[in-house]
Amino acid sequence: MNKKFYITTPIYYVNAEPHLGHAYSTILADFMNRFYKLMGYDSFFLTGTDEHGDKIAESAQEKGVSPKEYVDQISAKFKKAWSDLKIDYRAFVRTTDQSHKEVVSLFLQTIYETGDIYFGSYGGYYCIGCERFLTSKEIVNNQCPEHQKPVKFIEEKNYFFKLNKYQSWLIDYIEKNSDFIRPERYKNEVLSILKSDQLDDLCISRPKSRLEWGITLPFDDQYVTYVWFDALLNYISALGYPDQKNFKDYWPEAHHIIAKDILKPHGIFWPIMLKAAGLEPYQHLNVHGYWNMDDTKMSKSLGNVISPQSLIERYGQDQIRYFFLKEMHFGSDAKFSEEAIIGKVNFDLANDFGNLVKRTFNMTEKYFAGKIPEFFSDCSMNRAVLLDKIKNTSQQYFDFCKDFKTSLGLDKLWEFIRYLNKYIDEQKPWQLAKEAKTRELSSVLRNILESIYLVCFLLTPLLLETAPLVLKALKKDNSNLGNNQLEDILNFNNLKTKEVLDKIGVLFPKLEQVKD
Ligand code: MSP
């Protein structure tokens, strides 16, 4: 039985159309899903849309349509964007799905019956952008610093969930499971919130007199469920909580991807909700930074958004995936600029990788009529060194990427790609050809072609168009490891002597730098 892996993105609010920030988290999740499959795992990838709450109701009103009409339209735009970006999710959850609403009801009823929900009254400062009450420490100049909008004082009778009761349990849990929230700085941020103050209990309802657009509480039909409480449950409703096989199979291997904006609901509310219902916490909360433009976070409210499709059209699918996963160091903010994309495409993809493949294919064509040449053991041409390097490289690539450190993993792979270019320069196949050293020439080219095969195999989760194209040209399927171990393919016997290579064109055309 294959090992399981469960990867999720945040479910995105449908008050905005998909933009680059959403695309990054989704591409990262898509990469992780394909990467774990490559390692032989049975992976389940979930994404979706978050469709209830004040924010959505407000946006629908502004557009003059009913909330349902509005959420249908925007949710479809997310689906369309992910299809254009070749995102390979297994399930797309919508919080307006009947199956999701039933899980929210069941979950609420369960913890209501265990006594973790009570009725009370509360006054506090609310940020519609965050869809939650902020603490006095979080408010700066009467504004939410994240959304740069004034907070609103709201006082009403509501239902509350006993967060406070589980505060010391959560501190203990996070301390004992040191990479539960990662990278470490975000674990520390959550611990510092938990240790600096008593947590307020969480207000989990909204009176229908103020907001109707939500899931009715199972124990009071005058109230709807608070949007965050509803939304977080998507991660288990999509698996068929409480008794379906997917829930049993995948929940124990849950990995969430979020950006730091929604650390508190995921790092504090969610594990406590799970604990209260008697469920195991997720495995890891993987938190990334922001994509900034001119030092400001890209977001709809700040108005500086770019559609992911327009970028793919302009630069190409693989190019954008590579840029995203290479440029952002997991956990830190990254700068988005078209100059940076062009730089990465021209140097890493066109010069290093594209050129390596092109010159190797050209030489095979020129010297061996395009047939994969034989390796002769009496002229190894540093084969052992190369093989040793690719073994080390792939180990490091796997170790970094499995922990979401894609930028470091790709660095390692590119060091090897650059080394291969150097290997060609040192071995000088053109010189060997001139001197009629056919056996040496044949062995050198075979060594490089076998290396290119392994590099492309490792890149299949990332370069969705180019890696399969090169593998096909090498007459190899784009298969995953299946039941094999990585060691089984980490050799130079993957290609077949005398197979004729497909011809390939320029893999990554050079791009012109944008002029001011
Ligand atoms: N609906 C909630 C999430 C509920 S999950 C149970 C929400 N939605 S959102 O549409 O605002 O999406 C926030 C997420 O979008 C971030 O956590 C991140 O994954 C992604 N990003 C949005 N803008 C981003 C950047 N500028 N940079 C990086 N990621 C960004 O919050």
Side-chain angles (χ1 to χ4, degrees):
M1 258 245 298
N2 284 354
K3 290 168 285 179
K4 306 276 188 243
F5 183 68
Y6 177 38
I7 185 80
T8 69
T9 68
I11 50 168
Y12 304 111
Y13 286 130
V14 289
N15 69 330
E17 301 204 0
H19 63 68
L20 277 187
H22 306 132
Y24 171 72
S25 307
T26 311
I27 287 176
L28 175 63
D30 183 74
F31 172 81
M32 296 307 296
N33 175 48
R34 293 172 190 266
F35 173 82
Y36 269 82
K37 283 186 179 169
L38 186 83
M39 291 202 296
Y41 282 71
D42 167 13
S43 173
F44 191 113
F45 169 17
L46 172 72
T47 188
T49 42
D50 188 355
E51 306 187 358
H52 291 125
D54 294 302
K55 230 172 16 179
I56 311 295
E58 248 182 30
S59 300
Q61 207 175 14
E62 274 167 25
K63 294 264 180 319
V65 292
S66 74
K68 178 69 177 123
E69 257 176 279
Y70 177 74
V71 298
D72 283 350
Q73 275 172 22
I74 310 274
S75 181
K77 290 197 177 172
F78 274 91
K79 276 198 172 159
K80 171 79 170 78
W82 303 156
S83 140
D84 291 343
L85 268 61
K86 297 198 166 69
I87 301 296
D88 187 26
Y89 56 78
R90 173 113 57 112
F92 188 101
V93 62
R94 298 182 57 185
T95 54
T96 49
D97 290 340
Q98 188 53 28
S99 52
H100 172 78
K101 292 188 202 167
E102 283 166 15
V103 166
V104 172
S105 255
L106 176 73
F107 192 94
L108 278 166
Q109 189 64 37
T110 309
I111 59 171
Y112 184 65
E113 282 167 18
T114 57
D116 281 340
I117 292 179
Y118 64 90
F119 195 58
S121 89
Y122 182 78
Y125 289 93
Y126 198 75
C127 167
I128 287 205
C130 297
E131 289 274 21
R132 63 182 179 85
F133 287 102
L134 303 186
T135 62
S136 54
K137 281 191 191 146
E138 289 173 307
I139 299 168
V140 180
N141 297 331
N142 202 38
Q143 286 204 337
C144 162
E146 177 76 30
H147 293 94
Q148 298 177 18
K149 293 230 169 94
V151 287
K152 201 165 147 192
F153 189 82
I154 293 181
E155 187 165 22
E156 61 198 9
K157 279 197 170 308
N158 265 311
Y159 287 89
F160 291 83
F161 169 53
K162 292 184 182 167
L163 273 192
N164 187 268
K165 172 176 160 190
Y166 294 99
Q167 184 163 359
S168 52
W169 164 79
L170 186 57
I171 294 176
D172 196 48
Y173 189 86
I174 296 175
E175 283 181 338
K176 285 201 180 112
N177 298 276
S178 63
D179 61 354
F180 178 58
I181 299 172
R182 61 192 185 188
E184 202 178 1
R185 79 184 75 158
Y186 298 112
K187 170 189 99 171
N188 294 338
E189 208 174 305
V190 169
L191 277 177
S192 106
I193 301 176
L194 287 169
K195 286 180 171 177
S196 63
D197 262 325
Q198 287 286 317
L199 281 180
D200 285 335
D201 287 339
L202 182 67
C203 175
I204 55 148
S205 63
R206 299 289 178 266
K208 281 194 180 167
S209 54
R210 179 159 76 79
L211 173 76
E212 283 208 38
W213 184 238
I215 302 175
T216 302
L217 292 184
F219 41 81
D220 189 337
D221 65 6
Q222 292 309 302
Y223 284 85
V224 294
T225 313
Y226 165 50
V227 63
W228 266 107
F229 200 92
D230 155 1
L232 288 161
L233 289 168
N234 89 87
Y235 299 130
I236 59 172
S237 72
L239 293 180
Y241 165 83
D243 49 10
Q244 286 181 28
K245 186 167 177 327
N246 277 346
F247 177 67
K248 289 181 184 142
D249 282 353
Y250 296 104
W251 180 247
E253 300 305 329
H255 286 67
H256 299 312
I257 290 177
I258 59 163
K260 59 187 177 180
D261 51 345
I262 49 178
L263 179 60
K264 191 170 174 184
H266 283 83
I268 298 180
F269 306 166
W270 183 220
I272 293 183
M273 286 165 65
L274 290 162
K275 173 78 180 161
L279 295 175
E280 285 299 311
Y282 49 78
Q283 283 296 308
H284 295 288
L285 181 62
N286 302 284
V287 189
H288 64 75
Y290 290 154
W291 281 98
N292 292 327
M293 260 176 118
D294 308 324
D295 292 325
T296 312
K297 181 193 170 202
M298 253 184 266
S299 70
K300 187 219 167 198
S301 45
L302 298 174
N304 53 359
V305 288
I306 302 177
S307 109
Q309 284 109 320
S310 67
L311 270 192
I312 301 281
E313 271 159 32
R314 187 139 27 135
Y315 297 109
Q317 187 85 255
D318 286 357
Q319 286 85 338
I320 293 301
R321 284 173 74 95
Y322 176 78
F323 171 73
F324 270 158
L325 298 187
K326 176 68 187 63
E327 188 75 357
M328 180 171 265
H329 283 263
F330 198 61
S332 308
D333 289 353
K335 263 198 183 148
F336 179 87
S337 76
E338 305 214 24
E339 288 80 4
I341 301 178
I342 294 169
K344 282 273 170 295
V345 170
N346 286 351
F347 287 104
D348 300 6
L349 293 178
N351 281 357
D352 295 336
F353 180 60
N355 214 10
L356 167 71
V357 177
K358 189 92 187 93
R359 66 203 288 221
T360 309
F361 272 55
N362 282 349
M363 286 189 286
T364 312
E365 176 67 36
K366 183 166 173 195
Y367 303 130
F368 296 98
K371 291 190 187 141
I372 296 180
E374 198 173 343
F375 172 76
F376 295 96
S377 48
D378 55 324
C379 25
S380 84
M381 315 308 285
N382 276 339
R383 182 189 186 89
V385 176
L386 266 189
L387 198 51
D388 198 47
K389 272 201 192 298
I390 183 74
K391 283 185 178 165
N392 278 330
T393 300
S394 56
Q395 196 51 56
Q396 289 171 313
Y397 173 73
F398 274 83
D399 286 347
F400 282 127
C401 290
K402 78 175 172 30
D403 289 342
F404 296 68
K405 296 174 183 160
T406 58
S407 181
L408 296 177
L410 290 172
D411 267 350
K412 291 295 161 197
L413 213 50
W414 252 258
E415 270 171 28
F416 181 69
I417 290 170
R418 289 186 192 114
Y419 178 80
L420 282 176
N421 276 317
K422 208 171 115 210
Y423 175 82
I424 299 179
D425 297 342
E426 281 169 6
Q427 298 295 335
K428 300 189 177 49
W430 48 91
Q431 191 74 36
L432 297 173
K434 219 190 241 166
E435 293 167 10
K437 292 184 172 165
T438 315
R439 290 161 71 84
E440 284 84 349
L441 175 63
S442 181
S443 300
V444 166
L445 285 182
R446 179 61 175 263
N447 286 345
I448 307 164
L449 285 166
E450 292 277 359
S451 304
I452 290 176
Y453 163 71
L454 289 173
V455 167
C456 287
F457 176 82
L458 296 172
L459 283 172
T460 48
L462 178 80
L463 303 180
L464 303 185
E465 289 164 357
T466 319
L469 185 102
V470 179
L471 289 175
K472 189 172 154 285
L474 290 166
K475 300 289 152 73
K476 289 294 289 184
D477 280 349
N478 159 29
S479 55
N480 61 27
L481 280 177
N483 291 328
N484 293 328
Q485 296 297 313
L486 183 60
E487 298 89 73
D488 298 336
I489 70 149
L490 278 177
N491 56 58
F492 279 173
N493 304 318
N494 288 296
L495 304 181
K496 253 205 190 136
T497 306
K498 298 225 162 65
E499 286 260 32
V500 182
L501 298 179
D502 290 348
K503 296 207 173 15
I504 49 169
V506 176
L507 295 179
F508 298 101
K510 287 243 178 138
L511 301 170
E512 294 242 346
Q513 265 305 349
V514 270
K515 302 201 173 66
D516 291 331

